[in-house]
């Protein structure tokens, strides 16, 4: 199904409504942040400090208690949603699912008047959608996303993150959509993203063949990214070891995310 | 090493495409993986994959090549040792003694023969035959093991003894011009005085343990209801033994006599005794107990009521005729003198009105002779028919035929003895269904009445005319041919033994092929006789000649080709198992 297909867009609309209900309708131009500023929504009181805007002093409280307290308001700002989409060759058939996932998240963001940027990741970072905002940009966003295809050789997540940081000045919500099967690991990349103050969410897409080893016997395995080859004999024992290794790898990702406070979600694919 | 079919060795060239096909076959499947680096980690943990895994396919190919070479060599029919391309004739002794032993010796011989046949492996031709009273081919020369083995299955022990003339036939085969055959004779060595002919390799099978055997027996009606039983025993035991015997009725198991005979070491003993109250029919004399060969422990016997020929004497001087008849009646119950309704008439000078007659001193005119003339001169007669039954026991040179007259025998008469001038002296004649033996002499002259030839002449003439022997023997040895006495058609011949009966062809003579009770109907009369082994050679015969060793043992068990083929199949199966394990895990 195409991303610009009316049926798919209809599904995205339904998803948007669902998201609004879940988030209690607060996405409309008022994404709440922990930062305090000059908004209109009262957040808290604080002791007056030198240099604070005296207009924010609550005189009624001063009259009652002779203490200078200022009112704090939530900052109302538009948030940038960064979608880092793994476009390496290992994504193969999973890329469609990954793109649909990115489309759904981006669509919700656009409807919340957030700025949405989509980058592709492989051996280097590419830009798939360059900063769109507002519902009117949804079609452009979807079409650009649909045109994205796999590229590059071996995925270098750290290099892509470094490249992403170099291009990005504003902090935002970073959604990494990938299988997270990076030869060099995912720890350094996630650490960099968190260090820059992004809200990081890892969305892992996996195919059934990634989790299980259905082949037995003499095989010549070939890396889908690098083209490396190796002759092996897979018996039940090797198949089990592989499944355990994949399980350990994914468990490591969950642990890393939990340690850094990042969100981590598994998205399964059934092919 | 010799090759039976070396042309098959060219098949080794097929190894070249085989290797190519093998490499194509063992090429691994290509599989694209997304998590290659994880596979690398797993493979790094396997330390054994290095050398063995690299050589595994080569080892596998080597196994397949070896299996293929094994199959080719098997087709080339290799043999080890000195090449012997003579055909084999495997002869199995199926005589009665081969049935003996804990495991019957015939079975041991069959196993041995089967082992040889398997060992040939198609490299040589072989034939299969059995021998007892005759040599019988079961399968002619072939290099195929299957028909030989099928024929081998049909081999069974017989009740017949081994005959030397059958062995002689074998030796002729071995010594024939251009004979290229090796004769292997599987036997237990119990063939008595039979000499082992040249050119036959004897192979002894089985072990022979102590054996007791009835080597002769007889059951003879004596007088009244008395029957005389005669038994002769032989033993191979080196110790003195007492052997219990019984005379029993086979159907009712009624024991008529139970007695013991003491056998000297390795010797034989005979005993005769009177038994009373026996019924006509079949009886068995048995050794009580078991020994090496059971077939010679039982001898079936037939007891037939003797029936005398009723004879009337018509003579002016009947005294000597009557004494002769009385003597035969006493000894053999052959004759019974009657004055009315005779079956045969013994006459002198006249032609009696009887169907069968013996006529001495012919005189006057008669249909049995013509032109009776003067008395002939005394002298030795001329023998016209040498082997005639009438002169079988006579010595014509000692007969003077005193008182013989010149006469002529009627047309159709068979002259056995004649005077030098041509006059018949002893002849048989048949007219209008009446038969007679004419003896042209006067027994009163030259004291012929007192001559020992007088009763012999009457006996032989009466046997000839009535067709009735004095008595059928109570038992015949297996392999013997029994001529049934009496005139008339043979009605029924039936053999019965161990509760099993069989009808034999109703022809005379009867061949006694098996141990058993024989019942014969001929001319309306029923006679009984037994068939027993009664062969000292089979029962207690020793070994003669060599000890049965073979100079060159034929291949036995599986042939080299068979083993090669088996190993090839085994290797292929193992390799296929390993291959499947590698290919599909």
């Amino acid at each position: 199904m195409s991303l610009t297909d009316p049926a798919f867009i209809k599904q995205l609309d339904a998803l948007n409504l669902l998201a609004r209900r879940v988030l209690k309708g607060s996405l409309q131009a008022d994404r709440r942040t922990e930062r305090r500023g000059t908004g209109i929504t009262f957040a808290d009181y604080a002791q007056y400090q030198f240099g604070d805007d005296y207009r924010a002093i609550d005189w009624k409280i001063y009259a009652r208690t002779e203490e200078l307290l200022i009112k704090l308001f939530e900052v109302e700002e538009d948030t940038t949603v960064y979608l880092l989409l793994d476009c390496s060759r290992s994504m193969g058939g999973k890329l469609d699912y990954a793109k649909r996932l990115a489309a759904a998240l981006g669509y919700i963001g656009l409807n919340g008047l957030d700025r949405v940027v989509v980058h592709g990741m492989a051996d280097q970072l590419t830009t798939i959608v360059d900063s769109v905002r507002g519902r009117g940009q949804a079609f452009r966003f979807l079409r650009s996303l649909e045109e994205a295809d796999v590229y590059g050789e071996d995925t270098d997540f750290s290099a892509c993150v470094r490249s992403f940081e170099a291009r990005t000045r504003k902090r935002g919500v970073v959604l990494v959509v990938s299988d997270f099967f990076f030869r060099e690991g995912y720890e350094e990349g996630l650490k960099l993203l968190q260090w820059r103050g992004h809200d990081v969410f890892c969305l892992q897409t996996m195919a059934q063949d990634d989790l299980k080893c259905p082949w037995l016997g003499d095989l010549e395995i070939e890396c889908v990214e690098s083209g490396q080859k190796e002759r092996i004999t897979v018996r039940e024992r090797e198949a089990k070891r592989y499944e355990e290794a994949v399980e350990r790898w994914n468990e490591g990702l969950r642990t890393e995310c939990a340690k850094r406070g990042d969100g981590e979600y598994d998205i399964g694919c059934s092919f | 090493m010799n090759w039976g079919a070396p042309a098959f060795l060219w098949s080794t060239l097929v190894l070249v495409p085989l290797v190519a096909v093998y490499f194509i076959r063992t090429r691994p499947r290509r599989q694209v993986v997304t998590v290659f680096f994880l596979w690398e980690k797993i493979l790094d943990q396997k330390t054994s994959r290095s050398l063995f895994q690299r050589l595994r396919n080569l080892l596998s190919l080597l196994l397949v090549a070896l299996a293929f070479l094994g199959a080719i060599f098997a087709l080339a029919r290799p043999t080890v040792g000195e090449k012997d391309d003579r055909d084999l004739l495997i002869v199995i002794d199926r005589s009665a003694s081969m049935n003996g032993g804990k495991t019957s010796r015939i079975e041991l011989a069959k196993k041995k023969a089967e082992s040889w046949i398997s060992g040939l492996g198609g490299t040589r031709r072989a034939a299969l035959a059995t021998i007892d009273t005759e040599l019988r081919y079961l399968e002619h020369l072939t290099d195929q093991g299957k028909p030989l083995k099928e024929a081998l299955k049909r081999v069974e022990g017989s009740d017949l003894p081994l005959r030397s003339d059958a062995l002689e036939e074998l030796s002729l085969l071995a010594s024939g011009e251009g004979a290229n055959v090796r004769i292997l004779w599987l036997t237990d060595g119990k063939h008595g005085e039979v000499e082992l002919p040249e050119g036959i390799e004897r192979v002894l099978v089985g072990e022979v343990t102590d054996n007791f055997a009835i080597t002769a027996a007889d059951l003879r009606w004596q007088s009244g209801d008395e029957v005389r039983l005669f038994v002769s025993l032989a033993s191979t035991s080196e110790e003195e033994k007492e052997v219990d015997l019984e005379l029993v009725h086979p159907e009712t198991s009624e024991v008529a006599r139970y007695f013991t005979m003491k056998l000297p070491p390795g010797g034989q003993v005979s005993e005769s005794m009177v038994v009373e109250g026996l019924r006509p029919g079949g009886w068995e004399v048995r050794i009580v107990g078991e020994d090496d060969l059971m077939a010679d422990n039982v001898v079936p016997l037939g007891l037939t009521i003797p029936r005398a020929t009723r004879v009337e004497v018509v003579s002016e001087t009947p005294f000597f005729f009557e004494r002769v008849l009385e003597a035969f009646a006493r000894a053999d119950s052959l004759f019974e003198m009657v004055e009315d309704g005779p079956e045969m008439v013994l006459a002198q000078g006249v032609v009696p009105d009887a169907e069968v007659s013996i006529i001495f001193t012919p005189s006057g005119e008669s249909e049995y002779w013509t032109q009776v003339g003067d008395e002939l001169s005394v002298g030795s007669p001329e023998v016209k028919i040498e082997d005639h039954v009438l002169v079988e026991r006579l010595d014509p040179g000692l007969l003077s035929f005193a008182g013989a007259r010149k006469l002529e025998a009627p047309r159709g008469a068979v002259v056995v003895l004649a005077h030098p001038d041509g006059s018949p002296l002893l002849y048989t004649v048949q007219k209008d269904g009446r038969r007679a033996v004419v003896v042209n002499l006067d027994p009163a002259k030259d004291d012929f009445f007192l001559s020992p030839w007088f009763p012999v002449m009457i006996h032989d003439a009466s046997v000839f005319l009535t067709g009735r022997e004095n008595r059928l023997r109570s038992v015949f040895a297996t392999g013997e041919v029994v001529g049934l006495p009496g005139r008339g058609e043979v009605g029924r011949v039936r053999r019965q033994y161990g509760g099993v009966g069989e009808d034999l062809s109703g022809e005379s003579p009867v061949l006694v092929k098996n141990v058993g009770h024989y019942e014969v109907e001929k001319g309306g009369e029923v006679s009984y006789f037994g068939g027993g082994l009664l062969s000292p050679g089979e029962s207690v015969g020793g070994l003669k000649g060599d000890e049965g060793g073979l100079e060159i043992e034929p291949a036995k068990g599986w042939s080299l080709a068979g083993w090669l083929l088996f190993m090839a199949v085994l290797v292929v199966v193992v390799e296929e198992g390993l291959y499947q394990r590698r290919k599909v895990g």
Side-chain angles (χ1 to χ4, degrees):
Chain A
M1 185 188 288
S2 166
L3 296 183
T4 52
D5 189 274
F8 181 66
I9 292 171
K10 201 172 176 183
Q11 285 180 350
L12 292 181
D13 283 332
L15 185 67
N16 181 46
L17 287 172
L18 182 67
R20 286 170 66 102
R21 260 208 307 280
V22 171
L23 297 175
K24 297 179 181 174
S26 59
L27 282 177
Q28 186 65 37
D30 57 353
R31 169 177 288 278
R32 290 182 180 182
T33 70
E34 291 178 357
R35 285 182 293 150
R36 305 293 178 247
T38 56
I40 57 171
T41 305
F42 171 78
D44 203 353
Y45 289 101
Q47 285 289 337
Y48 173 77
Q49 302 290 331
F50 182 76
D52 286 341
D53 187 354
Y54 59 84
R55 288 177 295 179
I57 295 171
D58 190 335
W59 296 108
K60 289 180 181 174
I61 291 185
Y62 178 75
R64 284 202 297 271
T65 63
E66 293 186 349
E67 268 190 80
L68 282 174
L69 294 176
I70 60 170
K71 291 184 197 173
L72 295 178
F73 296 92
E74 290 180 356
V75 174
E76 291 177 357
E77 59 181 5
D78 59 334
T79 305
T80 305
V81 176
Y82 298 103
L83 286 163
L84 297 183
L85 181 63
D86 187 350
C87 291
S88 67
R89 297 190 187 281
S90 70
M91 289 297 283
K94 297 175 285 189
L95 187 63
D96 278 345
Y97 286 85
K99 285 197 287 190
R100 284 190 206 179
L101 179 61
L105 294 168
Y107 192 81
I108 292 167
L110 290 175
N111 276 283
L113 297 180
D114 290 328
R115 195 168 293 280
V116 176
V117 179
V118 184
H119 290 293
M121 290 192 302
D123 52 352
Q124 59 185 350
L125 191 77
T126 58
T127 302
I128 296 171
V129 180
D130 187 16
S131 187
V132 290
R133 186 169 184 270
R135 200 183 164 91
Q137 298 292 320
F139 194 72
R140 181 186 155 208
F141 160 74
L142 292 173
R143 197 163 51 194
S144 299
L145 193 59
E146 187 172 24
E147 288 169 357
D149 200 359
V150 293
Y151 66 95
E153 291 184 351
D154 217 358
T155 314
D156 190 344
F157 181 53
S158 302
C160 288
V161 169
R162 276 193 292 273
S163 179
F164 169 70
E165 293 302 343
R167 294 184 195 183
T168 310
R169 288 166 296 173
K170 196 176 177 185
R171 289 176 297 177
V173 177
V174 177
L175 300 166
V176 184
V177 182
S178 169
D179 55 11
F180 287 90
F181 289 133
F182 308 130
R183 178 186 289 275
E184 305 302 331
Y186 41 74
E187 293 87 349
E188 188 184 351
L190 293 178
K191 187 178 170 186
L192 278 172
L193 288 171
Q194 195 196 28
W195 181 74
R196 284 295 304 269
H198 294 296
D199 293 332
V200 183
F201 294 90
C202 297
L203 304 169
Q204 191 181 20
T205 56
M206 283 173 293
Q208 200 61 34
D209 282 356
D210 294 336
L211 297 169
K212 300 280 180 189
C213 173
W215 331 287
L216 294 173
D218 274 355
L219 296 172
E220 186 180 55
I221 56 171
E222 181 182 350
C223 180
V224 68
E225 293 184 357
S226 64
Q228 270 183 282
K229 291 176 182 172
E230 184 77 47
R231 285 192 173 190
I232 60 167
T233 299
V234 181
R235 286 167 292 184
E236 295 288 350
R237 190 173 54 188
E238 280 75 26
K240 193 176 175 190
R241 277 185 187 171
Y242 170 79
E243 287 159 19
E244 288 170 356
V246 171
E247 182 58 34
R248 272 199 305 277
W249 185 267
N250 292 341
E251 189 57 39
L253 175 64
R254 285 187 204 103
T255 307
E256 186 70 20
C257 291
K259 191 169 74 181
R260 300 190 182 284
D262 297 342
E264 192 275 344
Y265 304 93
D266 297 333
I267 310 295
C269 299
S270 61
F271 56 87
Chain B
M1 182 175 282
N2 305 298
W3 304 98
F8 276 104
L9 293 175
W10 285 102
S11 308
T12 48
L13 292 175
V14 184
L15 275 177
V16 177
L18 177 78
V19 170
V21 168
Y22 186 83
F23 277 121
I24 293 169
R25 181 172 175 250
T26 55
R27 195 172 58 182
R29 285 173 291 154
R30 186 169 162 272
Q31 183 62 52
V32 176
V33 295
T34 54
V35 203
F36 188 79
F37 66 94
L38 280 183
W39 278 113
E40 283 183 321
K41 282 183 183 175
I42 292 165
L43 297 176
D44 285 340
Q45 292 168 13
K46 288 179 70 182
T47 53
S48 63
R49 68 188 272 261
S50 52
L51 183 63
F52 176 71
Q53 284 202 343
R54 278 202 298 275
L55 293 178
R56 196 171 49 183
N57 278 346
L58 282 177
L59 286 172
S60 191
L61 174 63
L62 191 65
L63 282 177
V64 171
L66 279 175
F68 191 77
L69 282 174
I72 289 172
F73 287 169
L75 287 172
R77 298 176 185 172
T79 51
V80 181
E82 194 178 333
K83 189 170 186 179
D84 182 3
D85 56 358
R86 285 181 296 167
D87 295 328
L88 282 185
L89 173 57
I90 301 170
V91 183
I92 296 177
D93 181 358
R94 68 186 289 258
S95 63
S97 64
M98 291 293 282
N99 295 314
K102 285 181 182 173
T103 305
S104 78
R105 292 187 276 276
I106 191 88
E107 289 303 323
L108 295 175
K110 284 165 72 175
K111 275 186 187 171
K112 187 91 174 171
E114 188 174 10
S115 166
W116 287 344
I117 292 166
S118 299
L120 294 178
T123 56
R124 296 167 68 177
R125 294 191 307 167
L128 184 69
T130 58
I131 190 169
D132 45 28
T133 55
E134 62 181 4
L135 183 66
R136 189 177 295 112
Y137 288 94
L138 300 182
E139 186 64 38
H140 290 280
L141 284 172
T142 176
D143 56 0
Q144 302 294 313
K146 193 177 177 186
L148 287 167
K149 287 182 180 174
E150 290 292 325
L152 195 61
K153 283 180 187 169
R154 299 197 301 271
V155 175
E156 287 181 349
S158 73
D159 288 342
L160 299 167
L162 184 77
R163 289 251 173 90
S164 58
D165 47 355
L167 268 183
E168 288 298 330
E169 191 182 337
L170 261 186
S171 69
L172 289 175
L173 200 67
S175 60
E177 194 174 336
N180 187 30
V181 63
R182 187 179 175 196
I183 301 174
L184 303 174
W185 180 33
L186 285 160
T187 178
D188 58 357
K190 295 185 77 172
H191 34 78
E193 300 301 314
V194 175
E195 292 277 358
L196 184 68
E198 287 287 323
I200 299 174
E201 296 176 64
R202 187 174 63 175
V203 183
L204 295 178
V205 291
E207 290 181 0
V208 179
T209 54
D210 283 353
N211 189 46
F212 305 99
I214 302 172
T215 53
D218 192 19
L219 198 62
R220 182 177 289 253
W221 213 282
Q222 194 162 266
S223 63
D225 63 347
E226 285 185 354
V227 171
R228 182 160 289 277
L229 171 68
F230 170 80
V231 179
S232 186
L233 284 186
S235 161
T236 58
S237 174
E238 293 178 354
E239 297 173 6
E240 188 179 79
K241 290 277 183 183
E242 285 191 346
V243 179
D244 295 330
L245 296 101
E246 59 184 8
L247 178 67
V248 297
H249 193 278
E251 290 172 8
T252 62
S253 298
E254 168 195 346
V255 178
R257 185 73 183 251
Y258 194 96
F259 55 102
T260 302
M261 291 173 73
K262 188 177 282 184
L263 268 164
Q268 64 180 54
V269 65
S270 301
E271 198 167 319
S272 174
M273 65 200 74
V274 172
V275 186
E276 293 181 350
L278 295 189
R279 299 187 299 278
W283 290 85
E284 282 176 7
V285 60
R286 297 177 186 161
I287 291 176
V288 179
E290 294 184 354
D291 57 8
D292 180 66
L293 180 62
M294 295 302 290
D296 58 10
N297 287 7
V298 182
V299 175
L301 298 161
L303 184 60
T304 308
I305 299 173
R307 199 176 76 77
T309 305
R310 294 190 304 278
V311 184
E312 180 186 0
V313 178
V314 180
S315 172
E316 293 177 357
T317 53
F319 178 79
F320 289 102
F321 291 106
E322 288 172 355
R323 297 294 82 72
V324 167
L325 294 179
E326 281 175 3
F328 280 117
R330 261 200 317 277
D332 259 355
S333 304
L334 182 63
F335 300 124
E336 179 187 358
M337 272 198 297
V338 296
E339 293 181 354
D340 191 26
E343 290 175 79
M344 187 179 79
V345 173
L346 190 56
Q348 187 179 17
V350 295
V351 176
D353 185 19
E355 196 173 312
V356 176
S357 53
I358 302 170
I359 307 167
F360 283 81
T361 321
S363 60
E365 287 298 315
S366 161
E367 56 184 346
Y368 291 157
W369 55 81
T370 55
Q371 299 177 10
V372 177
D374 296 335
E375 192 171 312
L376 293 169
S377 59
V378 175
S380 296
E382 288 181 3
V383 179
K384 295 293 184 184
I385 302 172
E386 288 204 351
D387 53 353
H388 197 278
V389 68
L390 291 179
V391 291
E392 198 175 12
R393 282 180 277 242
L394 288 178
D395 185 352
L398 300 176
L399 300 175
S400 61
F401 281 86
R405 287 179 173 278
K406 188 175 179 60
L407 54 80
E408 283 192 10
R411 186 185 293 270
V414 176
V415 179
V416 181
L417 295 176
H419 192 270
D421 75 347
S423 294
L425 297 176
L426 179 65
Y427 64 94
T428 66
V429 63
Q430 189 166 356
K431 282 282 181 186
D432 304 327
R434 297 162 64 200
R435 290 174 289 118
V437 170
V438 179
V439 187
N440 184 9
L441 61 80
D442 184 355
K445 288 188 176 179
D446 207 9
D447 293 332
F448 189 71
F449 275 134
L450 304 176
S451 165
W453 303 118
F454 178 57
V456 173
M457 194 174 275
I458 291 174
H459 176 276
D460 289 349
S462 67
V463 165
F464 172 74
L465 287 170
T466 58
R468 185 184 301 162
E469 290 288 351
N470 53 347
R471 181 167 299 171
L472 192 63
R473 274 157 48 195
S474 60
V475 62
F476 291 86
T478 50
E480 271 193 278
V481 176
V482 181
L484 301 175
R487 291 187 173 273
E489 293 289 315
V490 177
R492 188 167 61 105
V493 180
R494 183 172 172 75
R495 187 184 79 90
Q496 189 138 6
Y497 192 62
V500 180
E502 61 172 336
D503 283 315
L504 307 174
S505 61
E507 289 182 3
S508 178
V510 175
L511 172 62
V512 181
K513 283 171 70 176
N514 298 98
V515 173
H517 298 276
Y518 289 78
E519 185 182 322
V520 181
E521 183 189 354
K522 186 178 182 186
E525 287 186 27
V526 178
S527 306
Y528 304 95
F529 65 89
L533 181 55
L534 302 179
S535 170
E538 293 293 320
S539 299
V540 294
L543 300 174
K544 287 184 81 73
D546 65 356
E547 291 303 316
L550 288 177
E551 286 182 15
I552 306 170
E553 180 84 10
K556 56 186 179 182
W558 279 18
S559 64
L560 186 56
W563 278 111
L564 282 171
L565 204 58
F566 173 74
M567 293 302 291
V569 170
L570 188 69
V571 167
V572 166
V573 169
V574 169
E575 199 283 328
E576 185 64 18
L578 292 173
Y579 170 75
Q580 289 300 328
R581 189 178 153 84
R582 287 201 315 276
K583 195 74 180 172
V584 298

